[in-house]
Each structure stands twice: as C-alpha cells, then as structure tokens.
Amino acid sequence: MGCERSFLQRFLSPNAPDVSHLSVRDQLSKHVTLKPKNFYGSMQMKRKLIGALMGLGMAALLHASPSARAADVIQNGKFDVGITFAGDSTILTAGRTFGAWRVAAGSVTLLRPGGTRLLDKTYPHQAIDMAGTTNGTITQVFETKPNHEYEVSFAYAGSFTTNNFDKGVEVRAGNVVRTQWVKRDPQWSPSSLNWQRMVFTFKATTLETTLQFRSLQAFSPRESVLITDVKVMEGGPPPLNSIPVPLPSQLNQFVKDRNKAVQLGKALFWDMQVGSDGRTACASCHYIAGIDQRPANRLNPGAPGSTFGPQSPEQKRLNDEAIARFPGANRELLASDFPFHRVANPTGSRENNPVLRSTPQVVGSQGVVKKNFVDILPGNPVDEGVLVKDPVFQIDGANARQVTGRNTPTVINSVFFDRLFGDGRANHFFNGRNPFGDLDPNASVFRSVNRSRIQIVWETTTIRILWVTIRIPIPRFNTINESVLEPTKILLNNAALASQAVGPTLNEVEMSWNGRMFKELGRKMLSLKPLGLQAVHPQDSVLGSICQEGGNGLRTNYAQMIREAFVDQWWNGTTPDPENFTHMESNFSLFWGLSLMMYQSTLVSDQTPYDAFAAGNKAALSESAQRGLRIFLNEGKCVDCHGGPEFAGATVSDLRGGTTPKLIELMNMADGRQAWYDNGFYNIGVRPTLEDIALGASHPQFGPLSYTVQRQRGRNIGQSATVSGRVAVNGAFKTSTLRNIELTGPYFHNGGAASLRQAVEFYVRGADFFNQNIADLDPDIDGIPDLQGDEQAIEDLVNFLRALTDERVRFRRAPFDHPELLLPNGHTGSKDGIAIDNLFRFPAVGAGGGSQVLPYERVLK
C-alpha cells in the first residue's frame, strides 16, 4: 500500500482546483498590426501600442472584435493586380477579370494611389470605386470549409468629388448580407477620405464561397463607395459538437442495440482478463486521460525501424546499436530525463544550437512478459504459455514486462480519425478480423444462413409373393431446416477504431502470449464473469445498472451481452466453424472490434473552454490564451496540421467530408521540392527518419501502409490521382489531436518530451533532425522565429493549448469514468524466471468522477 499511495498521490490531486476564467481583453488586431515577438518583448512597441490606444479612443477600442483569426484566404484584397493603365484610374466593365476578381455586372473604376481621387495615404493601396459609367458589382470565389467561421473586413470611404449624394454598397458572403451607406463629412477631401472598416462574420456551408460587392446608389453612378484592403480571415475551428461523430454507414446491419454495444465495449476495454496474463486490459495503457502515466518500466531501446521491425540493413544496424546501448528494463523515469533531445538553448533557433544529449530510446507502455501461447484454460483468466527467454526486457535473467516501441496515444476523440495508430495501419475499413481492412483480401466472418435440404431416409418394406418374402427399400424424403455458417466478406467504413481495437489484443508485446487466436480469446472470455477481477462503481455511467453489488464484475455474462447488442445472424449459428469453434467464438473479433468502437465513440471531449469560446462566449478564454490562439492560427502555423474542430490531422471530416476524398496531396517539402504525401501524416524531425519510417513501412503480406504508395502502385484508394515523381512518406506519423494535450504527456511518437512547454519549444526552434530528414520533412517545421527567445509568447501558446482540456476528462467524470484496475508499475524481485509485478490499485469512479488528473511532468519525481 505504501508504494501504491505514493504513486497515486503523484498523479491524482486530493482536491479539485478552483477553476476560474479571466476576463477577455478587447483586441486591437483590426487596428494595430504587431509581430508577436515585438508585442511581448519590446518596450518600444508597447509604447507605440499605448499611443495607438489613445489615438483610437475608447469607441474604436470597444468596436474591435476579440475574435482570433488565421491567414487571409482572399486574393488581391488590395487590388494590386498588375494592370497597367494611363493616368490615375481605369474603368473595368462587366465580364472583365482583374486578378482573382471579376466584374459581374455594370462597371467599376480601379484607382491608383496618389491620383487626384486617391490622395489619402491611410491605405497605400489601389482601390475600387464601385461605379464606373454605371453601378458595378464585383465578385471573388474562394475556398472555404463547411461549418467554419470566417471574418470579412474591408476599408471603405465615399467618393464625393463631383456631388454630395449618399453612397451605398451591399456586401454578401455566403448567406450573410450587409449594407453600408456613407454620408459626406464636411471635412471630406481626396486627401482625407475618412476611411472606416466594416467587419462581419459568416459561417461557410460549402467548399466554395462567393464574396460580392454591389453599388447601391441611385444617383451619379460615376462616383460611389471606395473599397480597399479586403480580407477574409478564417477563424479558429468551430466547436467539436459542430461535426457529427463518424460511424459506419452499415452499422445497423451488425448492431441492433447501440447502448448495449457500448456496455459490452466498455466491459471488454477495462477487463484485465483479456490479457494472456489475466492482468492486462486495453485500459492498462489508456487508463487516465486515455493514455498511460506510469513512470516505471516504460523504456524501449528505440530505433525499431517500423512497426514490423527493420525493413533495411541500415535500420537493422540502428536497431542493434540501440539495443546494445539500452540501460535495461525496470528503470523509473525522472523529470531530469526529459527532453530526450536536449539542446543548449531550448527556445532559440535550431541553427548553431549545441546538442547536449540525445537518445533513440522510446517511452512506450509495458505489456506482457515474453511467452509462447499453448492454450486457454476455460474459467481461468490466465492462459497457458511457455516462457521464452527475453534478452532485452529482463532483470538479472528474469523476464520483465516488454515495452512497446512507440508512445501510447490517447483514445479520447480517436473516433474522428480516418486511420489509427501512428503509422495508420488501423485501416479506415473494418474487415471483422484484423487491423488491415481492405488490404487483406481474404478476411471474412461467419454469417448464419437458414437453409433447407432434403434428407433421404431409406426404409424397407416386406412384400410376400406366394411363398416368397421380398424386402424392398423405399425412400422417404424429409425437409431439414438448419442454420449453417457462411463465410462473408465485410468492409465497414469509418471504422478505424474497430480496426485498431483488434490489433493490440493478440500482440505478443502488448496483451497476448505469442500465437493466440481471437477465437481462443473468445472462448476464454465467454467462460468468464465480465470484469470478474475488478470492482465496478455503482454509479458507473454505463455499467452501474448491471454491476455486481457487494462484489466484483457484472451481473451478466459476455454471451448474453453479445446476444443483446448484435444482430442475430452474426452469432446464432448452430453449427461449428471448420476449426470447431462456436459461431459466437468464431466471430469474437467482430464483436470485439465493433463494441470497443461503440464505447470509444462516446469518449468525446467537446466541453472545453475553447469550445465555449468558439460557440460565442468570448470570456471563456483568458487574454493570454487568446493571444496564444492568434499565434496558433498565424505565425505558429500550428493550425496547418492540427486543424478542424478535432485539432488534428488525418480526420474523417477533413479527408472524406467533401464531395471527393482528399487522402493524398502534392506538397512543397522542406527542401523546396514537391512530393506526394498522405494528408494528415507528417515527418516533423523528432528523430532521424530511418529509426522509425512509420507510414513508409510495408506489411510483409499486405503491402504498403501509405495511401500515396498504394496509389503509385496502381491501387484504387478511392481518390483519382496520378502519383508521379517523388513520394515523401517515410518517417511520417499521424497528426495527433491537441484536445486534452495538457494531460496526455509524454509527447511525440517517442515520448521524448515530458511537458507541454518542452513540446512547444521543439516547434519554436524547429526540427531536431532537420538536415537528416529533409527529403521527407514537413515544410512548416522550420521553427517559429517570432517566438524564439520570447518567453511570454511561448507561455501564451501553452495557455491556449491548456484551454483545450475538458474538465470532465481532468476529473474523470462521465463518460470518462471507469472500473477499477490493478496496474503493474515496474517490478520488485523475481520468481520462476519472471519478474514480480509492483502493483498499484487504480480505483473505480462513477459518473461524478474523482480526483483530478495531473500533467505528466507532475507525476515524475
């Protein structure tokens, strides 16, 4: 108990914090453009800001919207379109295009700055007078993302050279229309036009939106409203609840009761009896904030080459060197061990920044000890197995728990991804058997089919003729109705979670003795009481109604849960399969994958401060977090990869949300040359590419994991594209979600950063292995110069990322509540050639939650 209490106290605070939000400061971004580094670090710029405030006055300050914006998506907004014309103006008539703009009706006048009608130097750009010889209309079509919010802004003034009539303009973007009339100010002159700005927002509903300006005046068409400095800025992503949770379109053909399927999935996910050792559940590596926070026995030598091992001689050499340098199993990680790649100036440039230390080691998760599977023992949670000597994960010759070769990602919000695992090997399509979806042409499950057959029964009858008795055979025809098992190929779309779920369960490092089949796991689990070794809280949001009062487990069995959740034809067959397993045992991988998918699809964290902010509560983010959001959207370029409401890449909404999939794209790489790549998967230079080629790997039987390479080889991936020339997929990992990032350390695929601050510092200075990885490196990982050396700006970005934390996750409230777990946290001593587990109890919590989850750096000593 002493060890258990000490560890628990390090990651569960005994008291909930007093959470409050600071008030929102009105922003000046629409009036004063400042580089963040100067804004935060320069006293001179601060003095300029104060002066700007005084000049603008409180009315202008209050007029400024506090929303944060990303890059301008409009083109030629300053009308600097390269048209050569004599004098200071030229008339453009209907049908004329100028840059990205088009004169849709009437005519307009393009004005040159410094001309007789445009002497005002407030905006040193060309401008459009919305009337030429007639009232005019101009339009521009630009790309938008459905359900995303955009801000339109432009400068406008009246042209009153020859008359004093009121001038009017109508502006339309999407389904939003605004009109503006301008009266002549007594002080008006061509050198003092009294420019003002209109700002409004709209939500896009299509992939393209038209921006239109139309003159409204009734008199003197030769002079109208002048416009210039037109901008359309994409806002921060909309709330997560603005997009649907993607589930298979064919789901009802398999699941008859979704709530029952969620119950089954939660029970299986948390059940320790699933592991061959009777102690390892899926939740053992995803027990808190969807990840693993244990500090002991977490190190893997690193440089695995790929998830399938080294795929080249050079990778084999790197792997051998990593194992030779490995300090051994069972070490407890300390705060001083991080970051794994340490440089002299963490917030400086990557150039001329001495490396103080660097290691290929990986923070993985401890799985099972190395054994070969022999058989299950019905009614026993521990499988029969034969110990295999482990040369890597051992303590004085005794086998220790093996450790995975990559950092464990969170399962929360994982339902939104198109593919899963860092290398994308958990396929978008679920085939009912394994993670590889449509790459495996032979995968099938069994469906029961009612068939009738004629049975011939020969009966004999005796006929006596005279003194001779003759026996004559007479056929009798019986119709027999029976349920037979028919092999059936299935492919469920939007089912990466199901594909992922069936992977670790049989993995010889993560959960299983080597060689176990899913049918055998099914036979074992169907013989056991669900969660029979664990307490379930009576207020559990999913399992409370069926938990065993005064004891462990549930008041039901897995066979009954399957019958209640799944369509009968997938389990009710009365004949065995060719290997003599029952229909339910044989299809256990199908039930496993879909039920875990259904449970995890409920783990959606859409109640963060940012979601409230994006829904309109501008007080939901502190001033610092709002500045961090602007950095995230602009100079940080974070949103380029971590986009959408999911704050992630390779999501279903991004890749498959349009009329055609955009699974692969052509992109300029860090070396300036173009290459094809898988959308949402990037090489960011955390470690040298060859240490782990990730998406670039090929399965020994099913071929390349990369959509790009599959298409290059002629495979139909669902997107028409001719992949010619260079491909850049080696070392590319799926862009993880930033939601709850405060609680999901350590970070990166190698777990090499313990704190959120260390992760941000990596991006500030740029790729740690820039030159080594340049052939496959993402172009945005070249550092953030505006943030280098700027402590306040870095802190602001970190504060914004903290605003992506859902308090329900922090305090393990429904749907993030859970049953009890007994978790190994390293070893103490050995017995019979196996290291003895150092266990701690992770108590069950109900829907109301429990003590708060701490960031990983606070768990470490």
Side-chain angles (χ1 to χ4, degrees):
M1 287 297 294
C3 178
E4 171 192 336
R5 182 175 178 82
S6 173
F7 179 72
L8 283 171
Q9 284 178 334
R10 277 188 276 153
F11 77 89
L12 295 177
S13 171
N15 298 305
D18 178 17
V19 179
S20 59
H21 298 295
L22 299 174
S23 61
V24 183
R25 184 184 63 184
D26 292 316
Q27 295 179 47
L28 304 172
S29 59
K30 296 177 181 63
H31 304 283
V32 182
T33 302
L34 305 174
K35 286 190 175 181
K37 183 172 182 180
N38 289 336
F39 178 81
Y40 299 111
S42 167
M43 287 303 297
Q44 180 183 8
M45 187 57 74
K46 290 176 182 176
R47 288 192 292 268
K48 289 181 179 179
L49 176 59
I50 293 171
L53 276 172
M54 296 177 66
L56 287 167
M58 286 305 296
L61 175 61
L62 293 174
H63 178 73
S65 167
S67 56
R69 300 295 154 187
D72 190 1
V73 298
I74 208 79
Q75 297 182 57
N76 309 122
K78 298 174 183 177
F79 301 112
D80 299 325
V81 291
I83 293 179
T84 301
F85 54 92
D88 57 11
S89 65
T90 185
I91 293 177
L92 308 174
T93 56
R96 176 72 181 272
T97 58
F98 53 110
W101 297 95
R102 178 176 179 271
V103 182
S107 60
V108 297
T109 305
L110 179 62
L111 303 175
R112 179 177 294 163
T116 57
R117 294 173 57 190
L118 201 58
L119 294 173
D120 191 323
K121 297 181 181 180
T122 303
Y123 289 96
H125 319 308
Q126 295 194 153
I128 288 288
D129 186 327
M130 289 305 303
T133 57
T134 58
N135 286 333
T137 301
I138 62 172
T139 61
Q140 181 175 152
V141 179
F142 56 97
E143 291 185 359
T144 48
K145 301 173 184 175
N147 296 319
H148 279 229
E149 186 180 83
Y150 293 80
E151 178 184 87
V152 178
S153 68
F154 61 96
Y156 67 91
S159 182
F160 300 99
T161 304
T162 61
N163 64 74
N164 295 330
F165 294 126
D166 293 351
K167 317 294 182 182
V169 65
E170 177 190 86
V171 191
R172 184 184 299 267
N175 58 1
V176 176
V177 180
R178 294 287 185 270
T179 59
Q180 184 65 54
W181 288 89
V182 184
K183 294 180 179 292
R184 187 182 188 280
D185 186 282
Q187 305 302 316
W188 182 91
S189 73
S191 58
S192 182
L193 293 171
N194 190 24
W195 287 104
Q196 300 178 68
R197 289 197 74 83
M198 174 182 278
V199 180
F200 67 91
T201 61
F202 73 96
K203 182 175 287 188
T205 58
T206 59
L207 294 173
E208 289 186 335
T209 297
T210 299
L211 176 64
Q212 175 182 287
F213 292 87
R214 181 170 70 92
S215 178
L216 294 177
Q217 66 195 37
F219 303 102
S220 189
R222 287 184 177 273
E223 288 188 328
S224 182
V225 174
L226 308 181
I227 60 172
T228 191
D229 199 30
V230 182
K231 297 178 181 178
V232 178
M233 313 292 275
E234 182 183 355
L240 185 56
N241 63 13
S242 67
I243 61 173
V245 173
L247 289 173
S249 57
Q250 319 98 303
L251 188 60
N252 290 342
Q253 298 175 26
F254 298 86
V255 175
K256 67 180 178 185
D257 189 322
R258 297 191 181 196
N259 291 330
K260 295 294 185 181
V262 170
Q263 276 190 335
L264 174 61
K266 185 169 186 178
L268 291 172
F269 183 87
W270 288 89
D271 200 329
M272 302 187 305
Q273 300 170 121
V274 172
S276 281
D277 59 357
R279 191 170 281 170
T280 303
C282 298
S284 297
C285 298
H286 302 279
Y287 65 95
I288 193 164
I291 51 93
D292 185 357
Q293 283 198 344
R294 292 172 288 181
N297 196 35
R298 293 286 302 277
L299 284 178
N300 179 288
S306 75
T307 195
F308 311 116
Q311 299 206 330
S312 71
E314 178 64 12
Q315 287 187 308
K316 177 66 166 60
R317 181 186 66 79
L318 292 173
N319 181 245
D320 290 344
E321 290 177 355
I323 292 174
R325 293 195 300 265
F326 186 52
N330 204 39
R331 183 164 166 248
E332 181 170 358
L333 289 166
L334 304 173
S336 57
D337 293 324
F338 296 90
F340 281 10
H341 186 89
R342 177 168 291 183
V343 296
N345 184 2
T347 64
S349 168
R350 62 180 175 79
E351 300 288 350
N352 302 315
N353 201 341
V355 177
L356 305 182
R357 71 176 184 209
S358 187
T359 176
Q361 292 171 17
V362 169
V363 180
S365 286
Q366 52 199 314
V368 296
V369 298
K370 196 176 188 68
K371 284 188 179 183
N372 285 333
F373 178 79
V374 176
D375 203 353
I376 67 152
L377 303 170
N380 190 332
V382 181
D383 298 340
E384 184 180 356
V386 176
L387 194 67
V388 177
K389 187 174 180 59
D390 193 331
V392 178
F393 300 104
Q394 52 86 22
I395 306 169
D396 297 329
N399 279 17
R401 287 183 178 272
Q402 301 170 92
V403 178
T404 60
R406 290 181 187 146
N407 184 28
T408 300
T410 182
V411 297
I412 297 174
N413 301 312
S414 55
V415 68
F416 293 103
F417 286 104
D418 180 75
R419 289 178 286 174
L420 284 165
F421 293 123
D423 56 16
R425 69 186 184 278
N427 200 281
H428 175 80
F429 298 99
F430 181 48
N431 62 27
R433 290 295 179 198
N434 58 45
F436 301 102
D438 60 349
L439 296 180
D440 182 357
N442 300 315
S444 65
V445 294
F446 287 107
R447 177 178 59 181
S448 67
V449 179
N450 293 323
R451 289 181 178 170
S452 299
R453 62 183 176 88
I454 303 299
Q455 182 185 53
I456 302 175
V457 178
W458 291 93
E459 298 177 347
T460 60
T461 186
T462 301
I463 301 176
R464 188 176 180 82
I465 301 176
L466 298 176
W467 61 88
V468 179
T469 299
I470 302 174
R471 293 180 176 273
I472 300 175
I474 298 176
R476 180 165 57 86
F477 299 93
N478 296 330
T479 301
I480 297 178
N481 297 315
E482 61 182 2
S483 176
V484 300
L485 301 187
E486 180 179 83
T488 305
K489 294 183 184 298
I490 65 170
L491 284 177
L492 281 76
N493 66 335
N494 296 336
L497 259 180
S499 297
Q500 185 275 333
V502 297
T505 322
L506 301 184
N507 186 279
E508 64 184 274
V509 173
E510 297 184 52
M511 298 183 72
S512 177
W513 306 152
N514 183 33
R516 184 172 65 166
M517 295 190 301
F518 235 111
K519 300 177 183 183
E520 292 164 320
L521 172 62
R523 179 168 289 177
K524 178 175 88 165
M525 298 307 292
L526 292 169
S527 76
L528 296 170
K529 180 179 182 179
L531 293 161
L533 304 178
Q534 300 153 253
V536 179
H537 199 283
Q539 276 78 53
D540 187 289
S541 61
V542 173
L543 303 173
S545 62
I546 55 174
C547 74
Q548 183 69 57
E549 296 179 12
N552 290 339
L554 306 179
R555 299 190 316 272
T556 184
N557 57 70
Y558 279 125
Q560 182 62 25
M561 296 179 82
I562 289 171
R563 286 192 288 267
E564 292 174 347
F566 287 93
V567 173
D568 295 12
Q569 66 175 334
W570 303 108
W571 54 261
N572 70 352
T574 56
T575 57
D577 76 358
E579 295 175 290
N580 207 35
F581 287 89
T582 68
H583 191 194
M584 191 175 284
E585 292 169 348
S586 187
N587 274 357
F588 197 74
S589 59
L590 174 67
F591 310 136
W592 175 276
L594 292 181
S595 65
L596 263 70
M597 177 191 74
M598 293 303 296
Y599 164 56
Q600 291 176 93
S601 73
T602 70
L603 303 180
V604 175
S605 63
D606 56 4
Q607 296 181 22
T608 72
Y610 175 79
D611 290 298
F613 177 85
N617 179 7
K618 302 309 179 184
L621 295 187
S622 69
E623 295 178 21
S624 173
Q626 290 194 57
R627 294 195 299 266
L629 174 56
R630 288 198 293 274
I631 293 170
F632 183 91
L633 297 173
N634 292 284
E635 60 270 35
K637 297 178 288 188
C638 316
V639 74
D640 290 356
C641 297
H642 296 276
E646 307 95 331
F647 285 91
T651 59
V652 173
S653 67
D654 184 34
L655 271 57
R656 301 179 189 270
T659 54
T660 58
K662 50 177 184 177
L663 309 178
I664 62 177
E665 293 182 341
L666 189 63
M667 177 175 72
N668 288 323
M669 305 304 295
D671 62 1
R673 297 185 298 148
Q674 287 191 325
W676 287 91
Y677 78 107
D678 286 38
N679 195 350
F681 288 76
Y682 304 101
N683 183 323
I684 63 172
V686 169
R687 293 298 306 167
T689 296
L690 282 181
E691 287 186 0
D692 191 339
I693 59 173
L695 181 68
S698 288
H699 185 280
Q701 182 179 354
F702 305 131
L705 301 178
S706 162
Y707 285 148
T708 301
V709 179
Q710 292 171 26
R711 184 66 190 137
Q712 187 183 47
R713 297 183 181 182
R715 186 171 184 272
N716 179 11
I717 62 171
Q719 176 184 347
S720 298
T722 302
V723 178
S724 59
R726 184 177 167 202
V727 168
V729 297
N730 284 339
F733 285 85
K734 176 177 63 66
T735 304
S736 60
T737 178
L738 297 181
R739 287 183 170 269
N740 306 300
I741 192 72
E742 174 189 10
L743 306 177
T744 57
Y747 305 103
F748 304 122
H749 74 271
N750 69 333
S755 70
L756 189 51
R757 167 72 185 228
Q758 289 174 357
V760 169
E761 288 173 349
F762 165 83
Y763 289 103
V764 167
R765 65 178 179 267
D768 287 333
F769 295 89
F770 187 92
N771 293 323
Q772 294 94 319
N773 293 18
I774 197 165
D776 298 280
L777 194 68
D778 181 86
D780 286 340
I781 313 298
D782 195 20
I784 310 174
D786 288 327
L787 270 65
Q788 288 168 2
D790 193 326
E791 293 297 322
Q792 182 60 62
I794 292 172
E795 185 63 21
D796 289 337
L797 182 52
V798 170
N799 284 337
F800 164 67
L801 294 173
R802 289 180 179 134
L804 298 176
T805 302
D806 190 320
E807 293 301 295
R808 296 173 303 162
V809 175
R810 191 191 304 278
F811 291 101
R812 298 177 291 148
R813 300 179 188 130
F816 309 105
D817 54 334
H818 55 80
E820 174 190 48
L821 273 181
L822 294 178
L823 285 164
N825 182 41
H827 301 282
T828 304
S830 63
K831 182 180 179 180
D832 300 329
I834 298 176
I836 299 172
D837 286 332
N838 182 17
L839 292 175
F840 75 91
R841 176 176 170 270
F842 188 60
V845 297
S851 301
Q852 73 165 315
V853 181
L854 298 180
Y856 187 63
E857 69 266 26
R858 293 178 61 186
V859 175
L860 300 172
K861 291 181 180 177

